mmCIF file of all heavy atoms in Angstrom:
data_model
loop_
_atom_site.group_PDB
_atom_site.id
_atom_site.type_symbol
_atom_site.label_atom_id
_atom_site.label_comp_id
_atom_site.label_asym_id
_atom_site.label_seq_id
_atom_site.Cartn_x
_atom_site.Cartn_y
_atom_site.Cartn_z
ATOM 1 N N GLU A 23 -6.290 -9.696 -12.485
ATOM 2 C CA GLU A 23 -6.411 -10.378 -11.166
ATOM 3 C C GLU A 23 -7.870 -10.394 -10.761
ATOM 4 O O GLU A 23 -8.342 -11.365 -10.170
ATOM 5 C CB GLU A 23 -5.577 -9.636 -10.124
ATOM 6 C CG GLU A 23 -5.461 -10.357 -8.783
ATOM 7 C CD GLU A 23 -6.583 -10.023 -7.795
ATOM 8 O OE1 GLU A 23 -7.370 -9.080 -8.041
ATOM 9 O OE2 GLU A 23 -6.665 -10.722 -6.781
ATOM 10 N N ARG A 26 -9.531 -13.234 -12.450
ATOM 11 C CA ARG A 26 -9.038 -14.530 -11.951
ATOM 12 C C ARG A 26 -9.600 -14.839 -10.551
ATOM 13 O O ARG A 26 -10.048 -15.945 -10.261
ATOM 14 C CB ARG A 26 -7.492 -14.517 -11.910
ATOM 15 C CG ARG A 26 -6.839 -14.344 -13.288
ATOM 16 C CD ARG A 26 -5.343 -14.578 -13.234
ATOM 17 N NE ARG A 26 -4.566 -13.472 -12.717
ATOM 18 C CZ ARG A 26 -4.062 -12.462 -13.442
ATOM 19 N NH1 ARG A 26 -4.273 -12.404 -14.770
ATOM 20 N NH2 ARG A 26 -3.349 -11.514 -12.878
ATOM 21 N N ARG A 30 -12.255 -17.749 -9.384
ATOM 22 C CA ARG A 30 -11.914 -18.672 -8.273
ATOM 23 C C ARG A 30 -13.076 -18.726 -7.280
ATOM 24 O O ARG A 30 -13.510 -19.800 -6.878
ATOM 25 C CB ARG A 30 -10.642 -18.159 -7.554
ATOM 26 C CG ARG A 30 -10.310 -18.929 -6.329
ATOM 27 C CD ARG A 30 -9.052 -18.404 -5.673
ATOM 28 N NE ARG A 30 -9.298 -17.949 -4.331
ATOM 29 C CZ ARG A 30 -8.428 -17.235 -3.590
ATOM 30 N NH1 ARG A 30 -7.269 -16.877 -4.143
ATOM 31 N NH2 ARG A 30 -8.727 -16.870 -2.383
ATOM 32 N N VAL A 59 11.040 -17.041 -21.960
ATOM 33 C CA VAL A 59 9.996 -16.225 -22.595
ATOM 34 C C VAL A 59 10.172 -14.779 -22.168
ATOM 35 O O VAL A 59 9.824 -14.393 -21.038
ATOM 36 C CB VAL A 59 8.598 -16.733 -22.213
ATOM 37 C CG1 VAL A 59 7.515 -15.788 -22.745
ATOM 38 C CG2 VAL A 59 8.374 -18.153 -22.740
ATOM 39 N N LEU A 61 9.438 -10.885 -21.828
ATOM 40 C CA LEU A 61 8.162 -10.126 -21.770
ATOM 41 C C LEU A 61 8.173 -8.964 -22.792
ATOM 42 O O LEU A 61 7.149 -8.381 -23.084
ATOM 43 C CB LEU A 61 7.907 -9.590 -20.375
ATOM 44 C CG LEU A 61 7.691 -10.669 -19.298
ATOM 45 C CD1 LEU A 61 7.536 -10.035 -17.937
ATOM 46 C CD2 LEU A 61 6.462 -11.516 -19.631
ATOM 47 N N GLU A 86 -4.075 -25.895 -1.892
ATOM 48 C CA GLU A 86 -2.946 -26.450 -1.107
ATOM 49 C C GLU A 86 -3.154 -26.283 0.410
ATOM 50 O O GLU A 86 -2.556 -27.030 1.173
ATOM 51 C CB GLU A 86 -1.648 -25.734 -1.521
ATOM 52 C CG GLU A 86 -1.214 -26.038 -2.938
ATOM 53 C CD GLU A 86 0.078 -25.331 -3.350
ATOM 54 O OE1 GLU A 86 0.550 -24.438 -2.618
ATOM 55 O OE2 GLU A 86 0.630 -25.699 -4.402
ATOM 56 N N TRP A 88 -6.393 -24.259 2.274
ATOM 57 C CA TRP A 88 -7.625 -24.031 3.022
ATOM 58 C C TRP A 88 -8.755 -24.999 2.698
ATOM 59 O O TRP A 88 -9.717 -25.058 3.454
ATOM 60 C CB TRP A 88 -8.182 -22.623 2.760
ATOM 61 C CG TRP A 88 -7.195 -21.547 2.869
ATOM 62 C CD1 TRP A 88 -6.218 -21.388 3.819
ATOM 63 C CD2 TRP A 88 -7.082 -20.403 1.991
ATOM 64 N NE1 TRP A 88 -5.509 -20.230 3.591
ATOM 65 C CE2 TRP A 88 -6.032 -19.603 2.474
ATOM 66 C CE3 TRP A 88 -7.789 -19.970 0.882
ATOM 67 C CZ2 TRP A 88 -5.642 -18.425 1.877
ATOM 68 C CZ3 TRP A 88 -7.418 -18.783 0.273
ATOM 69 C CH2 TRP A 88 -6.357 -18.038 0.773
ATOM 70 N N PRO A 94 -9.855 -18.103 5.001
ATOM 71 C CA PRO A 94 -10.651 -18.182 6.231
ATOM 72 C C PRO A 94 -10.636 -16.858 7.024
ATOM 73 O O PRO A 94 -9.680 -16.098 6.910
ATOM 74 C CB PRO A 94 -9.909 -19.278 7.037
ATOM 75 C CG PRO A 94 -9.131 -20.062 6.049
ATOM 76 C CD PRO A 94 -8.792 -19.093 4.949
ATOM 77 N N SER A 96 -12.190 -14.094 6.676
ATOM 78 C CA SER A 96 -12.134 -12.811 5.972
ATOM 79 C C SER A 96 -13.530 -12.251 5.728
ATOM 80 O O SER A 96 -13.656 -11.147 5.172
ATOM 81 C CB SER A 96 -11.382 -12.965 4.640
ATOM 82 O OG SER A 96 -12.152 -13.734 3.744
ATOM 83 N N SER A 99 -14.960 -8.918 3.795
ATOM 84 C CA SER A 99 -13.971 -7.879 3.434
ATOM 85 C C SER A 99 -13.521 -8.034 1.983
ATOM 86 O O SER A 99 -13.446 -9.141 1.437
ATOM 87 C CB SER A 99 -12.784 -7.890 4.401
ATOM 88 O OG SER A 99 -12.118 -9.125 4.392
ATOM 89 N N MET A 100 -13.261 -6.905 1.362
ATOM 90 C CA MET A 100 -12.841 -6.851 -0.039
ATOM 91 C C MET A 100 -11.542 -6.094 -0.158
ATOM 92 O O MET A 100 -11.409 -5.054 0.461
ATOM 93 C CB MET A 100 -13.881 -6.106 -0.863
ATOM 94 C CG MET A 100 -15.245 -6.781 -0.917
ATOM 95 S SD MET A 100 -15.207 -8.217 -1.969
ATOM 96 C CE MET A 100 -15.173 -7.419 -3.590
ATOM 97 N N VAL A 101 -10.632 -6.596 -0.939
ATOM 98 C CA VAL A 101 -9.411 -5.860 -1.258
ATOM 99 C C VAL A 101 -9.284 -5.934 -2.760
ATOM 100 O O VAL A 101 -9.150 -7.034 -3.305
ATOM 101 C CB VAL A 101 -8.162 -6.451 -0.565
ATOM 102 C CG1 VAL A 101 -6.897 -5.788 -1.044
ATOM 103 C CG2 VAL A 101 -8.280 -6.361 0.954
ATOM 104 N N ASP A 102 -9.367 -4.795 -3.453
ATOM 105 C CA ASP A 102 -9.383 -4.861 -4.916
ATOM 106 C C ASP A 102 -8.037 -4.474 -5.489
ATOM 107 O O ASP A 102 -7.408 -3.519 -5.067
ATOM 108 C CB ASP A 102 -10.426 -3.849 -5.446
ATOM 109 C CG ASP A 102 -11.813 -4.213 -4.977
ATOM 110 O OD1 ASP A 102 -12.133 -5.414 -4.921
ATOM 111 O OD2 ASP A 102 -12.583 -3.286 -4.643
ATOM 112 N N ILE A 104 -6.196 -2.654 -8.113
ATOM 113 C CA ILE A 104 -6.551 -1.551 -9.008
ATOM 114 C C ILE A 104 -5.499 -1.224 -10.056
ATOM 115 O O ILE A 104 -5.779 -0.605 -11.056
ATOM 116 C CB ILE A 104 -6.922 -0.268 -8.223
ATOM 117 C CG1 ILE A 104 -5.828 0.131 -7.257
ATOM 118 C CG2 ILE A 104 -8.258 -0.467 -7.467
ATOM 119 C CD1 ILE A 104 -6.003 1.534 -6.679
ATOM 120 N N VAL A 105 -4.260 -1.697 -9.788
ATOM 121 C CA VAL A 105 -3.206 -1.535 -10.800
ATOM 122 C C VAL A 105 -2.400 -2.825 -10.788
ATOM 123 O O VAL A 105 -2.071 -3.350 -9.733
ATOM 124 C CB VAL A 105 -2.248 -0.353 -10.472
ATOM 125 C CG1 VAL A 105 -1.077 -0.314 -11.444
ATOM 126 C CG2 VAL A 105 -2.991 0.968 -10.489
ATOM 127 N N PRO A 107 0.757 -5.049 -13.281
ATOM 128 C CA PRO A 107 1.609 -4.944 -14.486
ATOM 129 C C PRO A 107 0.992 -5.716 -15.655
ATOM 130 O O PRO A 107 0.573 -6.860 -15.464
ATOM 131 C CB PRO A 107 2.946 -5.547 -14.058
ATOM 132 C CG PRO A 107 2.694 -6.212 -12.739
ATOM 133 C CD PRO A 107 1.432 -5.744 -12.174
ATOM 134 N N LYS B 195 -1.157 -2.492 -7.197
ATOM 135 C CA LYS B 195 -1.819 -1.660 -6.215
ATOM 136 C C LYS B 195 -3.149 -2.246 -5.802
ATOM 137 O O LYS B 195 -3.909 -2.694 -6.669
ATOM 138 C CB LYS B 195 -2.118 -0.252 -6.795
ATOM 139 C CG LYS B 195 -0.947 0.663 -6.706
ATOM 140 C CD LYS B 195 -1.306 2.079 -7.066
ATOM 141 C CE LYS B 195 0.001 2.797 -7.323
ATOM 142 N NZ LYS B 195 0.012 4.176 -7.012
ATOM 143 N N TYR B 196 -3.408 -2.208 -4.514
ATOM 144 C CA TYR B 196 -4.672 -2.711 -3.979
ATOM 145 C C TYR B 196 -5.337 -1.584 -3.180
ATOM 146 O O TYR B 196 -4.684 -0.711 -2.627
ATOM 147 C CB TYR B 196 -4.417 -3.896 -3.049
ATOM 148 C CG TYR B 196 -3.817 -5.092 -3.757
ATOM 149 C CD1 TYR B 196 -2.446 -5.192 -3.933
ATOM 150 C CD2 TYR B 196 -4.654 -6.059 -4.275
ATOM 151 C CE1 TYR B 196 -1.909 -6.283 -4.605
ATOM 152 C CE2 TYR B 196 -4.134 -7.164 -4.957
ATOM 153 C CZ TYR B 196 -2.753 -7.259 -5.128
ATOM 154 O OH TYR B 196 -2.224 -8.327 -5.796
ATOM 155 N N ARG B 197 -6.677 -1.667 -3.175
ATOM 156 C CA ARG B 197 -7.409 -0.664 -2.414
ATOM 157 C C ARG B 197 -8.568 -1.361 -1.688
ATOM 158 O O ARG B 197 -9.173 -2.286 -2.225
ATOM 159 C CB ARG B 197 -7.966 0.396 -3.343
ATOM 160 C CG ARG B 197 -8.764 1.466 -2.592
ATOM 161 C CD ARG B 197 -9.300 2.529 -3.544
ATOM 162 N NE ARG B 197 -8.206 3.327 -4.101
ATOM 163 C CZ ARG B 197 -8.348 4.035 -5.215
ATOM 164 N NH1 ARG B 197 -9.489 4.067 -5.872
ATOM 165 N NH2 ARG B 197 -7.340 4.758 -5.655
ATOM 166 N N ALA B 198 -8.889 -0.896 -0.497
ATOM 167 C CA ALA B 198 -10.009 -1.440 0.250
ATOM 168 C C ALA B 198 -10.663 -0.347 1.071
ATOM 169 O O ALA B 198 -9.992 0.547 1.571
ATOM 170 C CB ALA B 198 -9.514 -2.557 1.192
ATOM 171 N N GLN B 224 -2.909 -19.696 7.158
ATOM 172 C CA GLN B 224 -2.241 -19.450 5.871
ATOM 173 C C GLN B 224 -1.061 -20.409 5.659
ATOM 174 O O GLN B 224 -0.638 -20.608 4.530
ATOM 175 C CB GLN B 224 -1.657 -18.022 5.842
ATOM 176 C CG GLN B 224 -2.652 -16.926 6.068
ATOM 177 C CD GLN B 224 -3.407 -16.544 4.809
ATOM 178 O OE1 GLN B 224 -3.637 -17.384 3.962
ATOM 179 N NE2 GLN B 224 -3.795 -15.301 4.699
ATOM 180 N N LYS B 268 4.349 -24.001 0.964
ATOM 181 C CA LYS B 268 3.432 -24.604 -0.018
ATOM 182 C C LYS B 268 4.203 -25.022 -1.278
ATOM 183 O O LYS B 268 5.211 -24.423 -1.643
ATOM 184 C CB LYS B 268 2.372 -23.572 -0.428
ATOM 185 C CG LYS B 268 1.501 -23.094 0.701
ATOM 186 C CD LYS B 268 0.882 -21.764 0.377
ATOM 187 C CE LYS B 268 0.083 -21.825 -0.928
ATOM 188 N NZ LYS B 268 0.108 -20.580 -1.667
ATOM 189 N N ILE B 270 3.557 -24.462 -4.368
ATOM 190 C CA ILE B 270 3.717 -23.399 -5.360
ATOM 191 C C ILE B 270 4.875 -22.463 -4.975
ATOM 192 O O ILE B 270 5.587 -21.944 -5.840
ATOM 193 C CB ILE B 270 2.410 -22.612 -5.561
ATOM 194 C CG1 ILE B 270 2.498 -21.687 -6.790
ATOM 195 C CG2 ILE B 270 2.060 -21.788 -4.333
ATOM 196 C CD1 ILE B 270 2.443 -22.355 -8.120
ATOM 197 N N THR B 349 12.002 -9.788 -16.325
ATOM 198 C CA THR B 349 12.441 -9.838 -17.712
ATOM 199 C C THR B 349 11.807 -11.014 -18.462
ATOM 200 O O THR B 349 11.726 -11.016 -19.656
ATOM 201 C CB THR B 349 13.971 -9.974 -17.796
ATOM 202 O OG1 THR B 349 14.338 -11.131 -17.035
ATOM 203 C CG2 THR B 349 14.687 -8.780 -17.238
ATOM 204 N N ASN B 350 11.348 -12.012 -17.695
ATOM 205 C CA ASN B 350 10.722 -13.150 -18.386
ATOM 206 C C ASN B 350 9.477 -13.619 -17.660
ATOM 207 O O ASN B 350 9.172 -13.145 -16.565
ATOM 208 C CB ASN B 350 11.765 -14.287 -18.510
ATOM 209 C CG ASN B 350 12.220 -14.801 -17.163
ATOM 210 O OD1 ASN B 350 11.422 -15.148 -16.320
ATOM 211 N ND2 ASN B 350 13.557 -14.803 -16.952
ATOM 212 N N ALA B 351 8.754 -14.522 -18.269
ATOM 213 C CA ALA B 351 7.441 -14.935 -17.783
ATOM 214 C C ALA B 351 7.545 -15.626 -16.405
ATOM 215 O O ALA B 351 6.633 -15.473 -15.562
ATOM 216 C CB ALA B 351 6.773 -15.873 -18.783
ATOM 217 N N ARG B 354 7.710 -12.994 -13.800
ATOM 218 C CA ARG B 354 6.388 -12.363 -13.631
ATOM 219 C C ARG B 354 5.493 -13.208 -12.724
ATOM 220 O O ARG B 354 4.781 -12.692 -11.883
ATOM 221 C CB ARG B 354 5.766 -12.196 -15.020
ATOM 222 C CG ARG B 354 4.349 -11.655 -15.035
ATOM 223 C CD ARG B 354 4.273 -10.236 -14.461
ATOM 224 N NE ARG B 354 2.956 -9.664 -14.625
ATOM 225 C CZ ARG B 354 1.868 -10.045 -13.933
ATOM 226 N NH1 ARG B 354 1.995 -10.957 -13.063
ATOM 227 N NH2 ARG B 354 0.727 -9.454 -14.147
ATOM 228 N N GLU B 358 3.670 -12.435 -9.173
ATOM 229 C CA GLU B 358 2.231 -12.707 -9.038
ATOM 230 C C GLU B 358 1.961 -13.456 -7.723
ATOM 231 O O GLU B 358 1.019 -13.128 -7.003
ATOM 232 C CB GLU B 358 1.729 -13.520 -10.229
ATOM 233 C CG GLU B 358 0.229 -13.654 -10.346
ATOM 234 C CD GLU B 358 -0.495 -12.398 -10.791
ATOM 235 O OE1 GLU B 358 0.199 -11.453 -11.273
ATOM 236 O OE2 GLU B 358 -1.727 -12.333 -10.664
ATOM 237 N N LYS B 365 -2.383 -10.260 -0.733
ATOM 238 C CA LYS B 365 -3.831 -9.924 -0.671
ATOM 239 C C LYS B 365 -4.595 -10.812 0.311
ATOM 240 O O LYS B 365 -5.474 -10.350 1.026
ATOM 241 C CB LYS B 365 -4.435 -10.016 -2.082
ATOM 242 C CG LYS B 365 -5.966 -9.918 -2.078
ATOM 243 C CD LYS B 365 -6.534 -9.822 -3.482
ATOM 244 C CE LYS B 365 -8.016 -10.114 -3.484
ATOM 245 N NZ LYS B 365 -8.685 -9.727 -4.713
ATOM 246 N N GLU B 366 -4.246 -12.097 0.362
ATOM 247 C CA GLU B 366 -4.967 -12.990 1.270
ATOM 248 C C GLU B 366 -4.747 -12.600 2.706
ATOM 249 O O GLU B 366 -5.677 -12.638 3.531
ATOM 250 C CB GLU B 366 -4.481 -14.436 1.086
ATOM 251 C CG GLU B 366 -4.582 -14.957 -0.351
ATOM 252 C CD GLU B 366 -6.000 -15.034 -0.899
ATOM 253 O OE1 GLU B 366 -6.959 -14.782 -0.151
ATOM 254 O OE2 GLU B 366 -6.133 -15.299 -2.097
ATOM 255 N N LEU B 369 -6.777 -9.420 3.472
ATOM 256 C CA LEU B 369 -8.212 -9.673 3.653
ATOM 257 C C LEU B 369 -8.510 -10.051 5.096
ATOM 258 O O LEU B 369 -9.489 -9.616 5.679
ATOM 259 C CB LEU B 369 -8.656 -10.816 2.707
ATOM 260 C CG LEU B 369 -8.931 -10.398 1.255
ATOM 261 C CD1 LEU B 369 -8.965 -11.637 0.343
ATOM 262 C CD2 LEU B 369 -10.233 -9.632 1.153
ATOM 263 N N GLN B 370 -7.633 -10.874 5.685
ATOM 264 C CA GLN B 370 -7.856 -11.249 7.092
ATOM 265 C C GLN B 370 -7.651 -10.038 8.001
ATOM 266 O O GLN B 370 -8.418 -9.829 8.951
ATOM 267 C CB GLN B 370 -6.859 -12.351 7.491
ATOM 268 C CG GLN B 370 -7.195 -13.684 6.844
ATOM 269 C CD GLN B 370 -6.296 -14.798 7.363
ATOM 270 O OE1 GLN B 370 -5.101 -14.570 7.645
ATOM 271 N NE2 GLN B 370 -6.827 -15.993 7.523
ATOM 272 N N ASN B 373 -10.635 -7.674 7.805
ATOM 273 C CA ASN B 373 -11.885 -8.174 8.396
ATOM 274 C C ASN B 373 -11.916 -8.007 9.894
ATOM 275 O O ASN B 373 -12.961 -7.741 10.491
ATOM 276 C CB ASN B 373 -12.074 -9.627 8.021
ATOM 277 C CG ASN B 373 -13.514 -10.095 8.178
ATOM 278 O OD1 ASN B 373 -14.428 -9.357 7.803
ATOM 279 N ND2 ASN B 373 -13.698 -11.238 8.751
#
Side-chain angles (χ1 to χ4, degrees):
Chain A
E23 188 273 349
R26 298 190 281 270
R30 175 179 119 191
V59 174
L61 294 177
E86 293 180 348
W88 313 317
S96 69
S99 59
M100 296 286 285
V101 172
D102 298 322
I104 53 168
V105 173
Chain B
K195 276 189 196 211
Y196 296 86
R197 180 180 292 161
Q224 304 276 32
K268 298 158 57 212
I270 191 73
T349 55
N350 61 54
R354 176 63 173 72
E358 189 75 12
K365 171 172 163 165
E366 305 297 354
L369 280 164
Q370 289 186 324
N373 198 43

